Amino acid sequence: MAKKVALLTAGGFAPCLSSAIGALISRYTELDPTLEIIAYKNGYQGLLKGDYIQVSEVVRKNAALLHEYGGSPIGNSRVKLTNVNDLVKRGLVSEGADPLQVAADRLVADGVSILHTIGGDDTNTTAADLAAYLGEHDYDLTVVGLPKTIDNDVIPIKQSLGADTAAEMGARFAKNVMAEHNAGTRILIIHEVMGRNCGWLTARTAEKYHAWVKDSEWLPEIGLDSRAWDVHGVFVPEADVDIPKEAVRLKKVMDEIGCVNLFLSEGAGVAEIVEEMERAGVEVARDAFGHIRLERINPGVWFGKQFAEMLNAEKVLVQKSGYYSRSAAANDFDKALIKQMADKAVESAINGESGVIGHDEENNDELSLIAFSRIKGGKRFDLSQQWYLDLLVSIGQPSPVARPESQLDSH
C-alpha cells in the first residue's frame, strides 16, 4: 500500500468534484484506515506552493457528506505546468525554474507516492506532462486521473463525470427561464449552455427539457400552452447554422405562438464572432491554455442580434445556465459512475499504474485505465446519434449539416 495519497481538483467546476473526492477517500479508508491522505488546495496551484489539507479522521468518517454538495471543497484553479511564463507572472514559480520539477520535488518532499487528479482534458494533459516527467527522471510516483467535464468531450472517454448532472440542471434552469415567454409579446429567449467545441451538453440539456415538456400537463385554454414552453431550436458548434434559413422557420413559430425558445451552445458561431472582432481590431482574450474567453465575446448576445430583426422580436432575453449547472451536486447517475471510476482509480494506483480512468470508446466502452498519451480534448458531438435526430424531428428543426472542423475553436 502507498505511504501517502494526494488528491487535487482542477479546471472549471463540474457536478462531480466533491463527490469524487468523497469516493476516493472512502475507498482508501476501506482498504487501509491508517493510510495518510492529503488534498492540495486549488489544484496545481496548491501543489506548486505546497499548500494542502490533511484528511483527518473526522473527514474520513464523514466522507459520504461530500456527495451531497457541488463545487470542490479543496478548490480549483487553471494552471498549466508547461506554461512557464504564466506561472512566473502569477508568482507560482521563480524565474528560470522548471514547473514540472518544482511539482515533482514538492510531491517527493510531501512524501506522496500516489497523486489523483480530477479534471478535464486540460487537467489530465497537465497530469500527463507531470507523469512523463516523473517517469523520465525516475521519481517513484503514480498519477491516476478521473475525467471531469460537463462538455463530455474527452477522447476516448464515453461519459465524463458530471456531464449528465449538468444537463439535468440545465433543463431545470430552463423551466424557470422559459416561463418568461409570456412576460411580454414576441419574445426571443436564448438559453446559452456551456460547450466550447462540443454540443453534447446543449443537445442533452434540450433533450431532457423537451422530455419534461412532453411529460407535463398543460392547459392551453387559459394560455398554458406546451408549444410556447417547448424548445424551438438547438444550435451546436458541430452543425452549420444557416441563420437566414432558420429565421424563416422560426418566424412562423413566433407569428403563431408569440415566442421563440432557442438552446445555444456557447461555442456555436464563435468563428464568425471572432472574425468580426478581429476585423474591427478588437483583441480576442484567451486563458492560460490558449482558449478563447467565451464570456468576453457573448455568443448568445450575438445570435440574439442576428435573429431579433428577422423574427420581429420585441424583446430578446439571453440567459446562461453554465454556473448554475456546473456547481450542482452529482445526481444518482453520476454518483454511480463516480463510485465505479473511483474504485478502478484506487485499484490502478495501488498497482502502480498511471493513466486516466474511463469507459474506453476505442475498446468496446470497457472501463479501463487509459494511457495519458491517448487523452485528448475537443471530442466532437456526433450529430448522427438517433436521440439527437429524434429531438430535432420532434421540434421541427431540419437535420443538421456538419460544420467543417477547421471552423471550430481548436483552442
Side-chain angles (χ1 to χ4, degrees):
M1 180 66 75
K3 55 184 176 182
K4 186 185 287 188
V5 172
L7 317 174
L8 67 79
T9 59
F13 278 168
C16 66
L17 298 176
S18 183
S19 186
I21 294 166
L24 288 170
I25 292 173
S26 293
R27 183 57 180 155
Y28 275 114
T29 300
E30 287 173 7
L31 296 175
D32 183 357
T34 67
L35 176 67
E36 191 174 356
I37 305 173
I38 64 172
Y40 285 108
K41 295 171 68 175
N42 302 112
Y44 291 109
Q45 179 175 314
L47 172 55
L48 290 172
K49 295 169 66 177
D51 187 10
Y52 62 81
I53 299 169
Q54 193 83 35
V55 176
S56 66
E57 286 301 314
V58 172
V59 173
R60 289 175 186 272
K61 290 177 181 178
N62 295 279
L65 186 61
L66 295 176
H67 296 299
E68 306 308 315
Y69 291 87
S72 172
I74 61 177
N76 281 30
S77 65
R78 290 189 180 276
V79 170
K80 187 175 179 66
L81 294 180
T82 54
N83 190 340
V84 181
N85 291 336
D86 178 63
L87 297 177
V88 171
K89 181 180 178 181
R90 293 163 68 175
L92 295 177
V93 298
S94 303
E95 188 78 44
D98 180 349
L100 290 170
Q101 182 179 354
V102 173
D105 288 346
R106 172 56 61 185
L107 289 166
V108 171
D110 292 340
V112 172
S113 53
I114 289 175
L115 173 65
H116 284 290
T117 61
I118 309 165
D121 58 289
D122 288 333
T123 299
N124 285 309
T125 53
T126 296
D129 293 333
L130 179 56
Y133 183 91
L134 294 170
E136 290 166 6
H137 295 82
D138 297 322
Y139 288 85
D140 186 19
L141 284 155
T142 301
V143 183
V144 181
L146 290 175
K148 168 269 339 170
T149 169
I150 62 175
D151 296 350
N152 198 29
D153 66 344
V154 179
I155 299 170
I157 293 171
K158 182 178 179 64
Q159 185 72 28
S160 298
L161 300 177
D164 187 78
T165 303
E168 183 180 303
M169 292 298 107
R172 180 185 295 181
F173 176 91
K175 292 176 187 179
N176 286 2
V177 170
M178 296 310 166
E180 291 286 334
H181 72 267
N182 54 14
T185 56
R186 301 190 72 84
I187 296 180
L188 169 61
I189 299 178
I190 297 178
H191 176 191
E192 186 179 315
V193 182
M194 282 187 168
R196 178 179 300 278
N197 288 327
C198 182
W200 183 92
L201 180 60
T202 301
R204 185 61 87 182
T205 300
E207 190 258 354
K208 285 179 180 286
Y209 176 78
H210 178 65
W212 170 77
V213 172
K214 288 197 301 181
D215 293 342
S216 298
E217 288 189 70
W218 303 96
L219 194 60
E221 293 81 1
I222 191 65
L224 190 62
D225 191 338
S226 65
R227 296 175 303 163
W229 284 77
D230 212 345
V231 185
H232 304 127
V234 181
F235 301 136
V236 298
E238 295 85 354
D240 185 55
V241 183
D242 187 333
I243 291 177
K245 187 174 180 180
E246 273 294 276
V248 172
R249 177 181 73 86
L250 294 171
K251 186 173 183 299
K252 293 177 181 177
V253 175
M254 181 72 85
D255 291 343
E256 183 179 351
I257 64 176
C259 69
V260 165
N261 306 322
L262 305 179
F263 279 57
L264 170 74
S265 173
E266 65 179 356
V270 166
E272 289 85 351
I273 300 170
V274 169
E275 185 180 341
E276 272 189 17
M277 293 175 68
E278 290 177 339
R279 277 202 310 266
V282 178
E283 183 179 355
V284 179
R286 296 178 182 269
D287 65 17
F289 289 88
H291 299 314
I292 292 170
R293 299 287 297 272
L294 294 175
E295 77 278 6
R296 302 279 182 87
I297 65 175
N298 284 312
V301 172
W302 187 85
F303 269 88
K305 289 179 179 177
Q306 307 304 308
F307 276 118
E309 186 174 348
M310 298 179 191
L311 303 183
N312 293 331
E314 295 177 9
K315 179 180 179 181
V316 178
L317 179 65
V318 179
Q319 293 290 293
K320 303 180 182 184
S321 61
Y323 289 104
Y324 177 86
S325 298
R326 77 177 199 167
S327 297
N331 65 10
D332 289 343
F333 174 90
D334 272 318
K335 285 178 185 175
L337 191 62
I338 288 164
K339 175 69 165 64
Q340 194 178 20
M341 287 194 186
D343 285 355
K344 181 70 173 177
V346 171
E347 176 190 323
S348 300
I350 290 172
N351 291 334
E353 300 168 335
S354 294
V356 180
I357 303 300
H359 292 86
D360 190 347
E361 290 186 309
E362 297 168 6
N363 185 28
N364 300 314
D365 295 338
E366 183 178 334
L367 183 63
S368 311
L369 178 72
I370 302 169
F372 278 117
S373 60
R374 294 179 56 212
I375 300 296
K376 298 178 178 66
K379 179 172 70 175
R380 300 187 73 179
F381 172 54
D382 181 1
L383 299 173
S384 68
Q385 293 181 85
Q386 194 58 51
W387 65 264
Y388 174 61
L389 296 176
D390 289 345
L391 169 64
L392 298 187
V393 169
S394 185
I395 66 174
Q397 184 172 339
S399 296
V401 176
R403 187 181 185 87
E405 192 163 356
S406 60
Q407 293 184 16
L408 294 176
D409 170 28
S410 60
H411 297 292

